[in-house]
PDB file of all heavy atoms in Angstrom:
ATOM      1  N   ARG Z  24      90.228 107.634 115.247  1.00 94.00           N
ATOM      2  CA  ARG Z  24      89.110 107.475 116.177  1.00 94.00           C
ATOM      3  C   ARG Z  24      87.765 107.754 115.516  1.00 94.00           C
ATOM      4  O   ARG Z  24      86.733 107.271 115.988  1.00 94.00           O
ATOM      5  CB  ARG Z  24      89.317 108.382 117.394  1.00 94.00           C
ATOM      6  CG  ARG Z  24      90.434 107.876 118.323  1.00 94.00           C
ATOM      7  CD  ARG Z  24      90.832 108.897 119.343  1.00 94.00           C
ATOM      8  NE  ARG Z  24      91.554 110.005 118.712  1.00 94.00           N
ATOM      9  CZ  ARG Z  24      92.254 110.907 119.394  1.00 94.00           C
ATOM     10  NH1 ARG Z  24      92.327 110.834 120.708  1.00 94.00           N
ATOM     11  NH2 ARG Z  24      92.867 111.880 118.760  1.00 94.00           N
ATOM     12  N   ASP Z  25      87.787 108.508 114.414  1.00 93.00           N
ATOM     13  CA  ASP Z  25      86.546 108.733 113.669  1.00 93.00           C
ATOM     14  C   ASP Z  25      86.130 107.500 112.871  1.00 93.00           C
ATOM     15  O   ASP Z  25      84.974 107.380 112.471  1.00 93.00           O
ATOM     16  CB  ASP Z  25      86.716 109.920 112.706  1.00 93.00           C
ATOM     17  CG  ASP Z  25      86.949 111.230 113.444  1.00 93.00           C
ATOM     18  OD1 ASP Z  25      86.480 111.349 114.594  1.00 93.00           O
ATOM     19  OD2 ASP Z  25      87.614 112.119 112.868  1.00 93.00           O
ATOM     20  N   LEU Z  26      87.088 106.600 112.657  1.00 93.00           N
ATOM     21  CA  LEU Z  26      86.835 105.401 111.856  1.00 93.00           C
ATOM     22  C   LEU Z  26      86.283 104.249 112.697  1.00 93.00           C
ATOM     23  O   LEU Z  26      85.494 103.436 112.220  1.00 93.00           O
ATOM     24  CB  LEU Z  26      88.143 104.981 111.176  1.00 93.00           C
ATOM     25  CG  LEU Z  26      88.119 104.043 109.970  1.00 93.00           C
ATOM     26  CD1 LEU Z  26      87.288 104.640 108.843  1.00 93.00           C
ATOM     27  CD2 LEU Z  26      89.551 103.782 109.508  1.00 93.00           C
ATOM     28  N   LEU Z  27      86.694 104.191 113.965  1.00 94.00           N
ATOM     29  CA  LEU Z  27      86.408 103.014 114.792  1.00 94.00           C
ATOM     30  C   LEU Z  27      84.928 102.708 114.975  1.00 94.00           C
ATOM     31  O   LEU Z  27      84.537 101.534 114.943  1.00 94.00           O
ATOM     32  CB  LEU Z  27      87.102 103.153 116.155  1.00 94.00           C
ATOM     33  CG  LEU Z  27      88.639 103.151 116.117  1.00 94.00           C
ATOM     34  CD1 LEU Z  27      89.207 103.154 117.532  1.00 94.00           C
ATOM     35  CD2 LEU Z  27      89.173 101.956 115.345  1.00 94.00           C
ATOM     36  N   PRO Z  28      84.046 103.699 115.179  1.00 93.00           N
ATOM     37  CA  PRO Z  28      82.631 103.348 115.363  1.00 93.00           C
ATOM     38  C   PRO Z  28      81.995 102.710 114.127  1.00 93.00           C
ATOM     39  O   PRO Z  28      80.918 102.112 114.235  1.00 93.00           O
ATOM     40  CB  PRO Z  28      81.969 104.704 115.677  1.00 93.00           C
ATOM     41  CG  PRO Z  28      83.067 105.585 116.130  1.00 93.00           C
ATOM     42  CD  PRO Z  28      84.269 105.149 115.358  1.00 93.00           C
ATOM     43  N   LEU Z  29      82.642 102.811 112.971  1.00 93.00           N
ATOM     44  CA  LEU Z  29      82.044 102.358 111.713  1.00 93.00           C
ATOM     45  C   LEU Z  29      82.511 100.974 111.287  1.00 93.00           C
ATOM     46  O   LEU Z  29      82.013 100.446 110.289  1.00 93.00           O
ATOM     47  CB  LEU Z  29      82.389 103.358 110.595  1.00 93.00           C
ATOM     48  CG  LEU Z  29      82.081 104.840 110.869  1.00 93.00           C
ATOM     49  CD1 LEU Z  29      82.599 105.696 109.718  1.00 93.00           C
ATOM     50  CD2 LEU Z  29      80.597 105.045 111.084  1.00 93.00           C
ATOM     51  N   VAL Z  30      83.451 100.378 112.012  1.00 95.00           N
ATOM     52  CA  VAL Z  30      84.078  99.145 111.532  1.00 95.00           C
ATOM     53  C   VAL Z  30      83.986  98.027 112.558  1.00 95.00           C
ATOM     54  O   VAL Z  30      83.763  98.255 113.747  1.00 95.00           O
ATOM     55  CB  VAL Z  30      85.566  99.389 111.158  1.00 95.00           C
ATOM     56  CG1 VAL Z  30      85.683 100.462 110.085  1.00 95.00           C
ATOM     57  CG2 VAL Z  30      86.384  99.766 112.389  1.00 95.00           C
ATOM     58  N   ASP Z  31      84.178  96.797 112.067  1.00 95.00           N
ATOM     59  CA  ASP Z  31      84.289  95.609 112.918  1.00 95.00           C
ATOM     60  C   ASP Z  31      85.751  95.283 113.219  1.00 95.00           C
ATOM     61  O   ASP Z  31      86.056  94.676 114.242  1.00 95.00           O
ATOM     62  CB  ASP Z  31      83.668  94.394 112.228  1.00 95.00           C
ATOM     63  CG  ASP Z  31      82.248  94.641 111.772  1.00 95.00           C
ATOM     64  OD1 ASP Z  31      81.410  94.987 112.624  1.00 95.00           O
ATOM     65  OD2 ASP Z  31      81.975  94.507 110.560  1.00 95.00           O
ATOM     66  N   ALA Z  32      86.637  95.646 112.284  1.00 96.00           N
ATOM     67  CA  ALA Z  32      88.048  95.268 112.393  1.00 96.00           C
ATOM     68  C   ALA Z  32      88.914  96.332 111.748  1.00 96.00           C
ATOM     69  O   ALA Z  32      88.437  97.108 110.908  1.00 96.00           O
ATOM     70  CB  ALA Z  32      88.283  93.917 111.715  1.00 96.00           C
ATOM     71  N   VAL Z  33      90.187  96.356 112.139  1.00 97.00           N
ATOM     72  CA  VAL Z  33      91.130  97.317 111.566  1.00 97.00           C
ATOM     73  C   VAL Z  33      92.423  96.609 111.197  1.00 97.00           C
ATOM     74  O   VAL Z  33      92.793  95.596 111.789  1.00 97.00           O
ATOM     75  CB  VAL Z  33      91.454  98.486 112.531  1.00 97.00           C
ATOM     76  CG1 VAL Z  33      90.225  99.321 112.820  1.00 97.00           C
ATOM     77  CG2 VAL Z  33      92.069  97.966 113.823  1.00 97.00           C
ATOM     78  N   ILE Z  34      93.090  97.170 110.198  1.00 98.00           N
ATOM     79  CA  ILE Z  34      94.470  96.794 109.882  1.00 98.00           C
ATOM     80  C   ILE Z  34      95.338  97.992 110.229  1.00 98.00           C
ATOM     81  O   ILE Z  34      95.087  99.104 109.744  1.00 98.00           O
ATOM     82  CB  ILE Z  34      94.629  96.426 108.404  1.00 98.00           C
ATOM     83  CG1 ILE Z  34      93.820  95.168 108.082  1.00 98.00           C
ATOM     84  CG2 ILE Z  34      96.099  96.210 108.050  1.00 98.00           C
ATOM     85  CD1 ILE Z  34      93.860  94.772 106.621  1.00 98.00           C
ATOM     86  N   ILE Z  35      96.332  97.778 111.077  1.00 98.00           N
ATOM     87  CA  ILE Z  35      97.215  98.855 111.510  1.00 98.00           C
ATOM     88  C   ILE Z  35      98.529  98.742 110.760  1.00 98.00           C
ATOM     89  O   ILE Z  35      99.289  97.792 110.951  1.00 98.00           O
ATOM     90  CB  ILE Z  35      97.445  98.815 113.028  1.00 98.00           C
ATOM     91  CG1 ILE Z  35      96.113  98.986 113.772  1.00 98.00           C
ATOM     92  CG2 ILE Z  35      98.440  99.885 113.452  1.00 98.00           C
ATOM     93  CD1 ILE Z  35      96.223  98.845 115.280  1.00 98.00           C
ATOM     94  N   ALA Z  36      98.776  99.706 109.866  1.00 96.00           N
ATOM     95  CA  ALA Z  36     100.016  99.747 109.085  1.00 96.00           C
ATOM     96  C   ALA Z  36     100.706 101.081 109.304  1.00 96.00           C
ATOM     97  O   ALA Z  36     101.263 101.667 108.378  1.00 96.00           O
ATOM     98  CB  ALA Z  36      99.715  99.519 107.607  1.00 96.00           C
ATOM     99  N   ALA Z  37     100.647 101.560 110.540  1.00 95.00           N
ATOM    100  CA  ALA Z  37     101.266 102.829 110.925  1.00 95.00           C
ATOM    101  C   ALA Z  37     102.726 102.586 111.314  1.00 95.00           C
ATOM    102  O   ALA Z  37     103.174 101.437 111.402  1.00 95.00           O
ATOM    103  CB  ALA Z  37     100.485 103.433 112.089  1.00 95.00           C
ATOM    104  N   PRO Z  38     103.515 103.654 111.564  1.00 93.00           N
ATOM    105  CA  PRO Z  38     104.892 103.463 112.026  1.00 93.00           C
ATOM    106  C   PRO Z  38     104.950 102.636 113.310  1.00 93.00           C
ATOM    107  O   PRO Z  38     104.019 102.661 114.129  1.00 93.00           O
ATOM    108  CB  PRO Z  38     105.374 104.900 112.271  1.00 93.00           C
ATOM    109  CG  PRO Z  38     104.566 105.723 111.320  1.00 93.00           C
ATOM    110  CD  PRO Z  38     103.219 105.069 111.278  1.00 93.00           C
ATOM    111  N   THR Z  39     106.049 101.908 113.486  1.00 93.00           N
ATOM    112  CA  THR Z  39     106.177 100.952 114.590  1.00 93.00           C
ATOM    113  C   THR Z  39     105.960 101.595 115.947  1.00 93.00           C
ATOM    114  O   THR Z  39     105.360 100.983 116.843  1.00 93.00           O
ATOM    115  CB  THR Z  39     107.562 100.287 114.543  1.00 93.00           C
ATOM    116  OG1 THR Z  39     107.717  99.632 113.276  1.00 93.00           O
ATOM    117  CG2 THR Z  39     107.723  99.272 115.649  1.00 93.00           C
ATOM    118  N   GLY Z  40     106.419 102.820 116.121  1.00 92.00           N
ATOM    119  CA  GLY Z  40     106.272 103.486 117.411  1.00 92.00           C
ATOM    120  C   GLY Z  40     104.836 103.662 117.847  1.00 92.00           C
ATOM    121  O   GLY Z  40     104.551 103.843 119.036  1.00 92.00           O
ATOM    122  N   CYS Z  41     103.898 103.594 116.901  1.00 95.00           N
ATOM    123  CA  CYS Z  41     102.466 103.762 117.203  1.00 95.00           C
ATOM    124  C   CYS Z  41     101.745 102.435 117.391  1.00 95.00           C
ATOM    125  O   CYS Z  41     100.566 102.418 117.765  1.00 95.00           O
ATOM    126  CB  CYS Z  41     101.777 104.532 116.079  1.00 95.00           C
ATOM    127  SG  CYS Z  41     102.533 106.102 115.636  1.00 95.00           S
ATOM    128  N   HIS Z  42     102.395 101.324 117.103  1.00 96.00           N
ATOM    129  CA  HIS Z  42     101.707 100.036 117.053  1.00 96.00           C
ATOM    130  C   HIS Z  42     100.978  99.698 118.350  1.00 96.00           C
ATOM    131  O   HIS Z  42      99.779  99.386 118.347  1.00 96.00           O
ATOM    132  CB  HIS Z  42     102.698  98.917 116.721  1.00 96.00           C
ATOM    133  CG  HIS Z  42     103.029  98.838 115.268  1.00 96.00           C
ATOM    134  ND1 HIS Z  42     103.767  97.806 114.722  1.00 96.00           N
ATOM    135  CD2 HIS Z  42     102.743  99.664 114.234  1.00 96.00           C
ATOM    136  CE1 HIS Z  42     103.905  98.003 113.426  1.00 96.00           C
ATOM    137  NE2 HIS Z  42     103.293  99.131 113.117  1.00 96.00           N
ATOM    138  N   ALA Z  43     101.697  99.718 119.466  1.00 95.00           N
ATOM    139  CA  ALA Z  43     101.125  99.260 120.727  1.00 95.00           C
ATOM    140  C   ALA Z  43      99.949 100.135 121.146  1.00 95.00           C
ATOM    141  O   ALA Z  43      98.895  99.624 121.540  1.00 95.00           O
ATOM    142  CB  ALA Z  43     102.200  99.240 121.812  1.00 95.00           C
ATOM    143  N   GLN Z  44     100.111 101.442 121.065  1.00 96.00           N
ATOM    144  CA  GLN Z  44      99.052 102.351 121.490  1.00 96.00           C
ATOM    145  C   GLN Z  44      97.793 102.192 120.629  1.00 96.00           C
ATOM    146  O   GLN Z  44      96.673 102.098 121.144  1.00 96.00           O
ATOM    147  CB  GLN Z  44      99.532 103.800 121.436  1.00 96.00           C
ATOM    148  CG  GLN Z  44      98.457 104.810 121.819  1.00 96.00           C
ATOM    149  CD  GLN Z  44      98.923 106.250 121.648  1.00 96.00           C
ATOM    150  OE1 GLN Z  44     100.107 106.501 121.474  1.00 96.00           O
ATOM    151  NE2 GLN Z  44      97.994 107.173 121.696  1.00 96.00           N
ATOM    152  N   LEU Z  45      97.974 102.152 119.313  1.00 97.00           N
ATOM    153  CA  LEU Z  45      96.830 102.017 118.418  1.00 97.00           C
ATOM    154  C   LEU Z  45      96.116 100.682 118.627  1.00 97.00           C
ATOM    155  O   LEU Z  45      94.875 100.629 118.668  1.00 97.00           O
ATOM    156  CB  LEU Z  45      97.291 102.135 116.969  1.00 97.00           C
ATOM    157  CG  LEU Z  45      97.694 103.532 116.494  1.00 97.00           C
ATOM    158  CD1 LEU Z  45      98.332 103.453 115.106  1.00 97.00           C
ATOM    159  CD2 LEU Z  45      96.492 104.468 116.471  1.00 97.00           C
ATOM    160  N   ALA Z  46      96.883  99.617 118.757  1.00 97.00           N
ATOM    161  CA  ALA Z  46      96.273  98.299 118.948  1.00 97.00           C
ATOM    162  C   ALA Z  46      95.508  98.232 120.266  1.00 97.00           C
ATOM    163  O   ALA Z  46      94.404  97.659 120.321  1.00 97.00           O
ATOM    164  CB  ALA Z  46      97.347  97.211 118.899  1.00 97.00           C
ATOM    165  N   ARG Z  47      96.060  98.807 121.330  1.00 96.00           N
ATOM    166  CA  ARG Z  47      95.356  98.813 122.622  1.00 96.00           C
ATOM    167  C   ARG Z  47      94.032  99.564 122.513  1.00 96.00           C
ATOM    168  O   ARG Z  47      93.003  99.128 123.027  1.00 96.00           O
ATOM    169  CB  ARG Z  47      96.233  99.433 123.707  1.00 96.00           C
ATOM    170  CG  ARG Z  47      97.363  98.544 124.191  1.00 96.00           C
ATOM    171  CD  ARG Z  47      97.902  99.014 125.527  1.00 96.00           C
ATOM    172  NE  ARG Z  47      98.341 100.406 125.476  1.00 96.00           N
ATOM    173  CZ  ARG Z  47      99.583 100.803 125.195  1.00 96.00           C
ATOM    174  NH1 ARG Z  47     100.514  99.877 124.941  1.00 96.00           N
ATOM    175  NH2 ARG Z  47      99.910 102.077 125.170  1.00 96.00           N
ATOM    176  N   GLU Z  48      94.056 100.716 121.840  1.00 96.00           N
ATOM    177  CA  GLU Z  48      92.839 101.503 121.656  1.00 96.00           C
ATOM    178  C   GLU Z  48      91.761 100.698 120.931  1.00 96.00           C
ATOM    179  O   GLU Z  48      90.595 100.688 121.343  1.00 96.00           O
ATOM    180  CB  GLU Z  48      93.140 102.765 120.833  1.00 96.00           C
ATOM    181  CG  GLU Z  48      93.556 103.967 121.632  1.00 96.00           C
ATOM    182  CD  GLU Z  48      93.659 105.189 120.735  1.00 96.00           C
ATOM    183  OE1 GLU Z  48      92.650 105.570 120.116  1.00 96.00           O
ATOM    184  OE2 GLU Z  48      94.767 105.755 120.649  1.00 96.00           O
ATOM    185  N   CYS Z  49      92.162 100.057 119.850  1.00 96.00           N
ATOM    186  CA  CYS Z  49      91.194  99.321 119.033  1.00 96.00           C
ATOM    187  C   CYS Z  49      90.650  98.109 119.784  1.00 96.00           C
ATOM    188  O   CYS Z  49      89.434  97.841 119.754  1.00 96.00           O
ATOM    189  CB  CYS Z  49      91.833  98.893 117.720  1.00 96.00           C
ATOM    190  SG  CYS Z  49      92.341 100.276 116.671  1.00 96.00           S
ATOM    191  N   LEU Z  50      91.513  97.369 120.464  1.00 95.00           N
ATOM    192  CA  LEU Z  50      91.063  96.203 121.221  1.00 95.00           C
ATOM    193  C   LEU Z  50      90.124  96.617 122.350  1.00 95.00           C
ATOM    194  O   LEU Z  50      89.153  95.908 122.653  1.00 95.00           O
ATOM    195  CB  LEU Z  50      92.265  95.444 121.787  1.00 95.00           C
ATOM    196  CG  LEU Z  50      93.154  94.714 120.768  1.00 95.00           C
ATOM    197  CD1 LEU Z  50      94.431  94.223 121.433  1.00 95.00           C
ATOM    198  CD2 LEU Z  50      92.406  93.544 120.130  1.00 95.00           C
ATOM    199  N   ALA Z  51      90.414  97.762 122.978  1.00 94.00           N
ATOM    200  CA  ALA Z  51      89.569  98.246 124.068  1.00 94.00           C
ATOM    201  C   ALA Z  51      88.150  98.534 123.596  1.00 94.00           C
ATOM    202  O   ALA Z  51      87.198  98.460 124.376  1.00 94.00           O
ATOM    203  CB  ALA Z  51      90.181  99.502 124.687  1.00 94.00           C
ATOM    204  N   GLN Z  52      87.992  98.868 122.323  1.00 93.00           N
ATOM    205  CA  GLN Z  52      86.663  99.118 121.760  1.00 93.00           C
ATOM    206  C   GLN Z  52      86.071  97.883 121.078  1.00 93.00           C
ATOM    207  O   GLN Z  52      85.081  97.973 120.358  1.00 93.00           O
ATOM    208  CB  GLN Z  52      86.733 100.287 120.776  1.00 93.00           C
ATOM    209  CG  GLN Z  52      87.091 101.608 121.440  1.00 93.00           C
ATOM    210  CD  GLN Z  52      86.800 102.795 120.545  1.00 93.00           C
ATOM    211  OE1 GLN Z  52      85.856 102.788 119.755  1.00 93.00           O
ATOM    212  NE2 GLN Z  52      87.622 103.828 120.660  1.00 93.00           N
ATOM    213  N   GLY Z  53      86.710  96.730 121.301  1.00 93.00           N
ATOM    214  CA  GLY Z  53      86.177  95.478 120.760  1.00 93.00           C
ATOM    215  C   GLY Z  53      86.426  95.280 119.287  1.00 93.00           C
ATOM    216  O   GLY Z  53      85.761  94.446 118.650  1.00 93.00           O
TER     217      GLY Z  53
END
């Protein structure tokens, strides 16, 4: 969450169990 205000896009290469939650968070912030 400290990274999101600084970027336009993210690559999520975390464990599968985190995929949906992390992607929803990032999409919600555009």
